[in-house]
Amino acid sequence: MSITVVYTIVTLAVIGATAAVILYFVAQKFKVVEDPRIDDVEGSLPGANCGGCGFAGCRAFAEACVKASDLGDLNCPVGGNDTMGQVATILGLEAVAKDPRVAFIRCNGTCDHRPKTSQFDGATTCAIASSVYSGESDCQFGCLGYGDCYDACEFDAIDLRAGMGVPLVLDDKCVACGACVDACPKDLIELRKRMPKDRKVVVACRNMDKGAVAKKACSVACIGCSKCFKECPFDAITMENNLAFIDSDKCKLCRKCVPVCPTNAIIELNFPPRKVKPEVEVETNS
Amino acid sequence: MLKTFKIGGVHPPENKLSKDRKIEVLSIPSAVFIPVAQHIGAPSTPVVKKGDKVKVGQVIAQSSSFVSTNIHSSVSGTVKKVDFSADSSGYPKQGIFIDVEGDEWMEDIDRSETLVKDISVDGAEIVKKIQECGIVGLGGATFPTHVKLVPPKGMKAEVLLINGVECEPYLTSDHRLMLEKADEILVGIQLLMKAMNVDKAVIGIENNKPDAIQLLSEKCKSVAGVSVVALKVQYPQGGEKQLINAVTGREVPSGALPIAVGAVVSNVGTAFAVYEAIQKNKPLFERVVTVTGKGVSKPSNFLVRVGTATSELVAAAGGLPENTGKIISGGPMMGRAISSLDIPVTKGTSGILLMKEEESKREEIIACIRCSRCVSVCPMGLEPYLLMTLGEKQIYDRAESERVMDCIECGSCSYTCPSNRPLLDYIRFGKGKVGQIIRSRKK
Amino acid sequence: MSKLLTVSPSPHVHSSDSTQKIMYRVIYAMVPALIWSVFMFGIDALRVTLIAVAACVAFEYLIQKYLMKVTPSVTDGSAIITGILLAFNVPSSLPWWIILIGAMAAMGIGKLSFGGLGSNIFNPALVGRVFLLLSFPVQMTSWPGIKMAAVDAVSTATPLALIKESVKNGIPIAKVQGLPDLTDLAIGMNAGSLGEVSALLLVLGGIYMIWKKVITWHIPVSILATVFVFSGIFWGINPEMYVNPAFHIMTGGLMLGAIFMATDMVTSPMNPKAQIIYGIGIGLITISIRMFGAYPEGISFAILIMNAVTPLLNYYIKPKRFGGQ
């Protein structure tokens, strides 16, 4: 019996040794020489592999950074300026500070504001619904509410708000990777400049129909009246296709455009409450 | 054994409720909306403006490229506006609104009923006339007919196949046309044969229309080169590739056009339109539309002017039933659900199907049990369960190598799935994405 | 119109078939064999079946509700099928607690650990059966004698076990005592587990399923043909030491496996070509185990092995595409 034990041990030991030798030579033969800085850069990245930088993942981004002679075109939106600063230090390059951004869904057409005129019954994704028709309401530009942005978000930064009809971006979780921007078939989501305390003044509408049509479809639609455009002291508002747009890089958060909007299509977020109610003014105006 | 295509296929309940109803001429509506994109290819360019007076048959939108056709006014009256309104795609499209005044036709249109048998024009003229008269495939695909008749360089058409299959349940417009306009269709077929320079044409008809098979077989005896083939009832036999396979046994290679196997397919409705265009000088501005459904009090076949709102057809068929849950433009397998009755009839509208509330909801989706029925019914020999997952997970490169682009969107997979899975929804989505990728690669 | 119109992508009609209907058709197909087993083994057969079905349904419900926290899907009928198949695969004398363990293995390990209906790789009933076979070899191979036989034997060996024993000892087949003849096997007058005894009634169930389009002919026919040909070759070489092919086909649950278990939709390949390869694989492995392996019969292992190959077959073997390659 003992001889069996010995045989077993010897055989296994020989197999182990042979395999070790083979592994050693194979490892030598197929060794890949890489720039060690790639590992360093990758280590300083958030490791989310979200693709927000435009590369396939953090490693691909690290490789691109190492190859680049200038970091101006490269940005990790998740890590922000801190991370890019670290990357720059590792590579001995100049970091270019960029404004942090945040995603915003430019539709306020919740079920209360936008009456349904039909019901969709198919695979519940925005992409498929939008391939069939313009949507359950008369607004062909508005949010479909099936949450393709929610599915695309790797950071749990989108709240579907079940029953409301339009999701909401959670500012504190959003890293501005842009996955939702690509996922939205209605092109509703915009990456805006992140303001102090996440304050926003934004046209929450993408309806390019004429005023009467837009207004009929949704009570908070932008009707393209240009009142906000005339009001804005900073030229931050542009008018195109019956639709106002506030450029977040130019907006100074003065909020003058908000009370003049006759349909409340412009919304202000995360501001302290106003002293004078804006609605009163609006009603007297109209 | 009756002929049919070799791979896959389903046989949904036929429900041809309106098959014994003669084609009625629908009264002219008070206003029409004629979209400028009623065909596959580039939309036409409007050539009328607000306030213009138009006559029936007058060109109101000009074809803008080779794969495009003219659009003709279907009524006489005043152009109200050129604007956007929803068509059956569910999105607002450009079109021409006309307020109807009387019924004044262009002078050169022959409005008599007499059958003109003698063909006095040559092939090239026929093709030119077809293009001018705005004729598209009336089976539903609406591909401009003149493009089909001109084979690409190095290819030669051998046989003309006429699609009288009407494999979609409910629809009967082609069936009625074959019964009532058989002589005209045969002349139209001869015109198409002359245009293509072929001496053989085969009319494929499913054997649930024995009266049409008998009538056309009888009439074909006096026409050289034209014959009728009775086909076993099987959906989607009206698909171009399936019809070619059923009639000739040939398989159109993946990604190729039917001309690759020497065949050109045209619908019976198209053949009739060709007859009218060449022999009567009448452009395509009206077509036969079936209005049907289980709740419809008077299922009918109407001859309708293009641009007529769906509501007019529904009213003529006895009004909208109380419990209508869904309105479909086209047949139940491939038609598009529409969200409003304002949507107009276009050249491709073969039917209006009103479904009851209880028929229009999909059943609850449960897990795939891998029963492989979708694989066995797929007429293209694809694996729908796999393509659905690839579409859902957005794995487009694999979807391409699994030949998602071969999918003809017939819906047999979704129809047959015992777990009610929305197979075609995702496959169509994946096909669209893969198509975009392929096009961007070519650029 | 008070209600909103529904808009959905085509197609707008659906066949009247449902997963539930398919599952119940499988159950109907198994009823004749079940009745025969009650006839043969007495009320014990019914006891085993009822315990197995109840346990499978209960385990599925409990695991889905309390462990997986999903809506239980016991009404689809698939747990009932697993229960009946598990019962068909065990002797009628099996104690109730062993059946419970088998049902737990079948549902818990075989099915729900993969995510439930449609996601499992292995046939759940066979996972349960093999689990029991390896854990309780004595109880799982003590076959009660048939009630109808004149001699009420406490325990009998199955025909295949008898042959295995004799081959091991070098006794020619012709001299083996107690082997049933082919007619007995076809009708089901022999020892064995509940569902494996009557070849004819199993075939009847199979024909019903093919007629109702629950299964296609490809898998059962390719298994049976492979077994017939492969064992026939050996028999042709040496009829002394190898039994004839018909005997192989009618014993050891081969019919049960070929018709009801290899054809399980979830775990079998999805196109005819792959299904035939899968069937041939099962046939070859079965006969190899029967002839050269330690177990007298091998269809369970053969099916499980080929279940594992199924994803590969689905990946590499494609249906005939329209328009060629």
Side-chain angles (χ1 to χ4, degrees):
Chain A
M1 197 50 126
S2 63
I3 196 79
T4 319
V5 176
V6 173
Y7 273 141
T8 315
I9 293 170
V10 170
T11 319
L12 285 175
V14 170
I15 292 173
T18 322
V21 170
I22 294 171
L23 276 176
Y24 176 76
F25 281 106
V26 171
Q28 287 299 317
K29 174 107 181 142
F30 293 103
K31 195 170 186 177
V32 180
V33 189
E34 261 190 338
D35 193 329
R37 292 182 302 169
I38 295 177
D39 283 330
D40 294 342
V41 173
E42 194 186 0
S44 69
L45 295 174
N49 287 315
C50 64
C53 52
F55 292 90
C58 290
R59 177 131 196 122
F61 180 67
E63 283 168 14
C65 286
V66 171
K67 273 188 207 144
S69 56
D70 169 22
L71 289 179
D73 298 336
L74 296 161
N75 184 35
C76 171
V78 181
N81 288 336
D82 291 351
T83 300
M84 288 315 290
Q86 285 175 31
V87 172
T89 321
I90 294 167
L91 299 174
L93 294 168
E94 193 82 7
V96 183
K98 291 195 175 72
D99 291 331
R101 305 221 146 226
V102 66
F104 184 79
I105 301 171
R106 288 175 292 170
C107 177
N108 197 17
T110 53
C111 301
D112 303 337
H113 295 144
R114 192 170 48 146
K116 277 192 176 187
T117 53
S118 65
Q119 49 186 339
F120 178 69
D121 181 30
T124 48
T125 76
C126 306
I128 288 171
S130 70
S131 72
V132 178
Y133 74 137
S134 59
E136 289 181 312
S137 74
D138 279 337
C139 172
Q140 53 159 324
F141 302 96
C143 178
L144 295 162
Y146 298 113
D148 281 13
C149 50
Y150 173 83
D151 294 335
C153 186
E154 299 269 336
F155 302 93
D156 289 335
I158 290 178
D159 179 3
L160 263 184
R161 301 200 291 181
M164 295 267 291
V166 181
L168 180 76
V169 176
L170 305 171
D171 291 330
D172 50 340
K173 287 187 180 164
C174 177
V175 298
C177 69
C180 54
V181 177
D182 296 336
C184 181
K186 298 282 189 187
D187 197 18
L188 289 174
I189 307 178
E190 182 204 358
L191 292 180
R192 297 174 64 84
K193 184 175 162 190
R194 197 186 272 265
M195 302 291 194
K197 297 186 185 162
D198 282 324
R199 287 177 175 172
K200 292 185 188 73
V201 177
V202 53
V203 180
C205 184
R206 287 279 289 157
N207 194 320
M208 296 179 218
D209 280 329
K210 284 173 194 147
V213 180
K215 179 77 185 164
K216 195 174 164 238
C218 176
S219 64
V220 292
C222 172
I223 55 172
C225 66
S226 301
K227 278 187 181 166
C228 53
F229 172 72
K230 288 166 198 154
E231 193 71 28
C232 184
F234 305 104
D235 290 337
I237 299 182
T238 45
M239 296 298 306
E240 201 181 344
N241 299 322
N242 303 311
L243 182 65
F245 171 71
I246 302 177
D247 186 341
S248 57
D249 290 321
K250 291 183 185 162
C251 176
K252 301 276 190 272
L253 300 177
C254 72
R255 296 195 277 166
K256 281 186 182 156
C257 52
V258 180
V260 300
C261 179
T263 56
N264 293 325
I266 303 181
I267 54 175
E268 49 178 65
L269 287 170
N270 302 326
F271 284 95
R274 285 178 185 241
K275 279 164 196 152
V276 188
K277 286 240 168 190
E279 285 86 351
V280 181
E281 229 177 283
V282 171
E283 272 164 16
T284 49
N285 278 353
S286 59
Chain B
M1 263 291 266
L2 286 163
K3 284 184 171 181
T4 188
F5 54 95
K6 306 295 179 295
I7 305 175
V10 290
H11 186 181
E14 291 163 22
N15 287 318
K16 304 271 192 187
L17 308 170
S18 53
K19 70 178 159 74
D20 298 323
R21 297 279 192 154
K22 283 221 165 86
I23 299 172
E24 293 169 51
V25 179
L26 193 77
S27 55
I28 303 164
S30 59
V32 292
F33 166 60
I34 305 174
V36 295
Q38 295 188 32
H39 46 262
I40 288 180
S44 313
T45 324
V47 291
V48 289
K49 57 185 189 303
K50 187 177 170 180
D52 285 1
K53 295 274 179 200
V54 293
K55 289 180 186 171
V56 177
Q58 183 180 334
V59 176
I60 51 172
Q62 200 97 49
S63 109
S64 49
S65 70
F66 181 60
V67 186
S68 180
T69 63
N70 291 343
I71 307 279
H72 302 79
S73 178
S74 59
V75 293
S76 62
T78 314
V79 177
K80 191 178 157 201
K81 56 179 175 176
V82 179
D83 201 359
F84 287 79
S85 182
D87 72 354
S88 61
S89 72
Y91 281 92
K93 293 281 163 68
Q94 196 183 31
I96 295 152
F97 290 81
I98 302 170
D99 284 331
V100 178
E101 292 149 14
D103 190 27
E104 191 187 335
W105 290 42
M106 295 291 280
E107 291 74 25
D108 49 0
I109 299 173
D110 174 6
R111 293 185 69 178
S112 68
E113 287 285 311
T114 36
L115 180 70
V116 185
K117 270 196 166 174
D118 299 326
I119 299 170
S120 55
V121 283
D122 67 5
E125 274 175 68
I126 295 173
V127 175
K128 190 161 160 272
K129 192 80 190 158
I130 285 174
Q131 183 170 10
E132 279 169 13
C133 286
I135 293 173
V136 298
L138 293 181
T142 64
F143 190 76
T145 303
H146 65 272
V147 183
K148 270 191 194 178
L149 298 179
V150 184
K153 280 217 165 61
M155 291 189 182
K156 168 97 181 71
E158 293 163 24
V159 59
L160 170 69
L161 299 182
I162 297 297
N163 184 350
V165 168
E166 199 153 60
C167 59
E168 278 267 8
Y170 289 96
L171 300 187
T172 56
S173 53
D174 289 351
H175 184 187
R176 289 312 306 179
L177 201 65
M178 286 190 283
L179 290 178
E180 296 175 28
K181 304 284 181 192
D183 292 315
E184 288 86 344
I185 289 171
L186 281 176
V187 177
I189 292 171
Q190 286 166 289
L191 287 163
L192 284 168
M193 286 162 73
K194 188 161 184 188
M196 283 161 57
N197 195 20
V198 296
D199 49 14
K200 195 176 165 224
V202 184
I203 310 170
I205 306 173
E206 284 189 348
N207 74 329
N208 56 358
K209 296 178 263 297
D211 43 0
I213 295 173
Q214 207 198 345
L215 179 72
L216 281 169
S217 309
E218 201 61 41
K219 304 231 175 202
C220 278
K221 283 179 189 159
S222 58
V223 184
V226 184
S227 59
V228 174
V229 176
L231 300 165
K232 188 182 159 204
V233 182
Q234 186 93 311
Y235 179 86
Q237 196 139 245
E240 220 170 34
K241 294 181 174 182
Q242 276 61 42
L243 184 67
I244 293 170
N245 185 234
V247 174
T248 68
R250 297 176 201 169
E251 286 186 16
V252 180
S254 171
L257 292 168
I259 192 77
V261 293
V264 169
V265 182
S266 256
N267 188 270
V268 286
T270 316
F272 178 67
V274 168
Y275 162 82
E276 287 198 313
I278 312 290
Q279 308 292 68
K280 301 278 187 181
N281 205 20
K282 180 184 160 197
L284 180 59
F285 57 77
E286 57 183 1
R287 67 156 298 148
V288 181
V289 179
T290 303
V291 183
T292 181
K294 283 183 183 150
V296 175
S297 55
K298 198 174 129 253
S300 317
N301 302 293
F302 294 122
L303 184 66
V304 186
R305 302 282 174 94
V306 164
T308 307
T310 305
S311 52
E312 306 264 350
L313 281 81
V314 173
L320 192 69
E322 185 57 34
N323 61 345
T324 302
K326 197 190 258 181
I327 302 173
I328 298 160
S329 167
M333 294 298 283
M334 287 185 80
R336 294 190 75 109
I338 54 178
S339 57
S340 137
L341 281 168
D342 301 335
I343 286 165
V345 166
T346 59
K347 291 177 184 176
T349 311
S350 47
I352 299 291
L353 171 59
L354 307 178
M355 293 185 92
K356 290 183 183 174
E357 181 78 40
E358 59 269 26
E359 296 173 297
S360 50
K361 281 277 179 296
R362 292 192 178 182
E363 305 270 329
E364 187 201 356
I365 299 166
I366 57 171
C368 169
I369 55 164
R370 307 177 72 75
C371 66
S372 75
R373 285 185 184 201
C374 54
V375 179
S376 64
V377 300
C378 180
M380 297 307 289
L382 305 176
E383 292 160 290
Y385 76 95
L386 178 65
L387 295 177
M388 172 181 172
T389 312
L390 294 175
E392 204 176 349
K393 307 273 183 243
Q394 311 189 348
I395 309 172
Y396 302 128
D397 47 349
R398 173 95 193 274
E400 189 187 351
S401 65
E402 298 287 352
R403 300 173 58 158
V404 70
M405 294 310 286
D406 279 3
C407 173
I408 58 167
E409 304 181 23
C410 67
S412 299
C413 49
S414 295
Y415 170 81
T416 202
C417 179
S419 293
N420 308 312
R421 297 181 69 72
L423 289 146
L424 182 56
D425 292 11
Y426 283 100
I427 296 172
R428 200 189 277 121
F429 167 66
K431 186 183 165 189
K433 289 281 181 190
V434 171
Q436 278 174 16
I437 292 169
I438 292 174
R439 280 192 296 276
S440 68
R441 202 185 292 151
K442 277 180 186 158
K443 270 174 197 163
Chain C
M1 208 176 354
S2 56
K3 288 202 185 96
L4 299 176
L5 286 176
T6 303
V7 176
S8 64
S10 65
H12 306 285
V13 283
H14 192 269
S15 76
S16 56
D17 251 350
S18 69
T19 298
Q20 203 173 10
K21 278 189 193 163
I22 293 177
M23 294 295 176
Y24 282 101
R25 280 184 200 139
V26 178
I27 295 171
Y28 301 149
M30 291 191 287
V31 167
L34 179 64
I35 293 172
W36 180 256
S37 74
V38 175
F39 195 53
M40 290 278 297
F41 302 110
I43 205 73
D44 254 359
L46 204 57
R47 175 189 68 97
V48 172
T49 312
L50 287 179
I51 294 175
V53 170
C56 282
V57 172
F59 278 125
E60 178 162 77
Y61 182 84
L62 294 173
I63 294 174
Q64 283 188 324
K65 181 148 193 192
Y66 295 105
L67 283 179
M68 296 168 73
K69 315 247 191 259
V70 293
T71 321
S73 59
V74 288
T75 48
D76 63 24
S78 63
I80 302 174
I81 296 180
T82 305
I84 299 178
L85 281 177
L86 181 66
F88 272 16
N89 271 297
V90 297
S92 60
S93 58
L94 205 64
W96 61 271
W97 55 273
I98 295 187
I99 305 173
L100 282 193
I101 294 172
M104 187 146 79
M107 299 315 290
I109 302 173
K111 185 172 171 190
L112 296 169
S113 66
F114 292 96
L117 181 64
S119 305
N120 49 306
I121 296 172
F122 300 105
N123 185 325
L126 281 177
V127 171
R129 193 248 154 133
V130 168
F131 188 88
L132 293 183
L133 191 64
L134 300 180
S135 313
F136 307 98
V138 178
Q139 288 92 328
M140 281 294 285
T141 51
S142 309
W143 310 102
I146 50 177
K147 285 278 191 289
M148 287 172 59
V151 189
D152 189 13
V154 177
S155 178
T156 346
T158 59
L160 279 176
L162 287 171
I163 291 165
K164 192 108 210 170
E165 191 66 19
S166 69
V167 169
K168 211 158 92 186
N169 299 332
I171 305 165
I173 305 290
K175 292 193 178 145
V176 178
Q177 296 291 308
L179 272 189
D181 64 23
L182 287 176
T183 335
D184 282 350
L185 285 172
I187 301 167
M189 305 286 272
N190 57 295
S193 61
L194 291 190
E196 71 176 75
V197 290
S198 173
L200 273 185
L201 291 175
L202 292 170
V203 170
L204 191 71
I207 291 170
Y208 170 78
M209 287 201 293
I210 292 174
W211 173 52
K212 284 287 181 189
K213 300 204 169 126
V214 176
I215 59 170
T216 55
W217 58 269
H218 303 89
I219 294 175
V221 169
S222 60
I223 293 177
L224 297 178
T226 309
V227 165
F228 192 85
V229 170
F230 193 45
S231 62
I233 292 170
F234 283 93
W235 183 60
I237 295 168
N238 186 358
E240 286 280 288
M241 298 307 289
Y242 298 103
V243 284
N244 69 53
F247 194 85
H248 268 296
I249 283 181
M250 298 219 248
T251 53
L254 193 103
M255 279 292 179
L256 179 65
I259 294 169
F260 286 99
M261 292 192 294
T263 55
D264 171 34
M265 293 166 173
V266 179
T267 56
S268 61
M270 311 252 313
N271 68 73
K273 264 191 276 179
Q275 284 171 349
I276 287 174
I277 296 173
Y278 168 84
I280 292 173
I282 291 175
L284 291 180
I285 297 171
T286 305
I287 294 300
S288 304
I289 293 175
R290 282 186 182 183
M291 285 179 177
F292 314 114
Y295 282 93
E297 60 115 327
I299 182 91
S300 310
F301 294 103
I303 294 175
L304 287 176
I305 291 169
M306 290 311 286
N307 281 167
V309 180
T310 296
L312 277 180
L313 289 175
N314 279 335
Y315 188 89
Y316 286 108
I317 314 292
K318 292 295 169 192
K320 188 189 173 311
R321 308 285 204 204
F322 185 96
Q325 293 313 303

